[in-house]
Amino acid sequence: MDALVSRFFRVDDPQTHDFVYPIPDTFWSRFYEYEWTKAFTDPNDTCLDAASGVVHPLQFYLADHCKSVYACDLDPRVGSRPAIEAMMRDWKIDMFVNQDRYFSNVQRTVCSLTNLPYADAFFDKVYCISTLEHLRDRFNRYPVLQRLTRYLRPFLRSDIFDTLAEFKRVLKTDGMIILTFDYPRINLAYLTRIVDELCLVFCGPVDFQLPPNAVTGSARNLNCFRAVLRKRA
Ligand SMILES: C[S@@+](CC[C@H](N)C(=O)[O-])C[C@H]1O[C@@H](n2cnc3c(N)ncnc32)[C@H](O)[C@@H]1O
């Protein structure tokens, strides 16, 4: 299944411009990211939209397609229905998503990805879309430190490592972590090192080569990478 290949998104990949609601053009890579997530949803899943955003659409899509949906974010508005409704109005999406089932079918929590309030082995899938690059992590930012991670980690903030460790903890044995992130803001060698250190593995083939037709954000010359991880058997 192509969806299991961890690689850069390419301009000829399938896209969606209507994912629960019409996706704004400024979401340059989300057309591809959201379309790709559809390959993983299962009606029997208990899943987490990790760093969901306040009204970003994946949580609503999952609510329509999965058994049980949790969403979390550091943004305190995630914990307030009036704040969520106000943002729906701001984004002019209230006619699509201001519906009771999107509140009752999604259990939202304000928390950090580095300290998740869920039990061990709870989720079938953990989705984390376009967020890793926003986490504070000195080792990602300064590759020169990477060979010393084991020694320096107790002293330097390493939120990407702590986040993936938490995803692993809350994931069922046969669960999957579905990730997208901006490149080069995430250092691929560092990510691979963390995956290995945490005894995670890529679910299918991996291609780190940046293709000529990679999806590119016009403003900042960014590309978008997708990865599917599981626990090592
Ligand atoms: C670019 S948005 C991505 C939102 C959403 N995942 C999507 O589909 O686009 C990044 C989100 O990460 C959240 N965030 C950043 N650092 C976080 C952390 N340490 N723990 C939880 N959420 C965090 C921000 O509040 C923001 O909502």
Side-chain angles (χ1 to χ4, degrees), residues 47-50 52 59 69-73 78 106-109 118:
C47 56
L48 174 65
D49 185 359
S52 58
Q59 58 193 298
V69 180
Y70 292 72
C72 68
D73 200 285
V78 162
V106 181
Q107 303 204 38
R108 296 183 175 81
T109 308
Y118 311 110

Side-chain angles (χ1 to χ4, degrees), residues 30 34 51-53 56 73-74 111-113 129-131 134-135:
R30 297 297 196 288
Y34 293 144
S52 58
H56 284 70
D73 200 285
L74 212 46
C111 67
S112 172
L113 296 181
I129 301 300
S130 276
T131 295
H134 297 284
L135 303 181

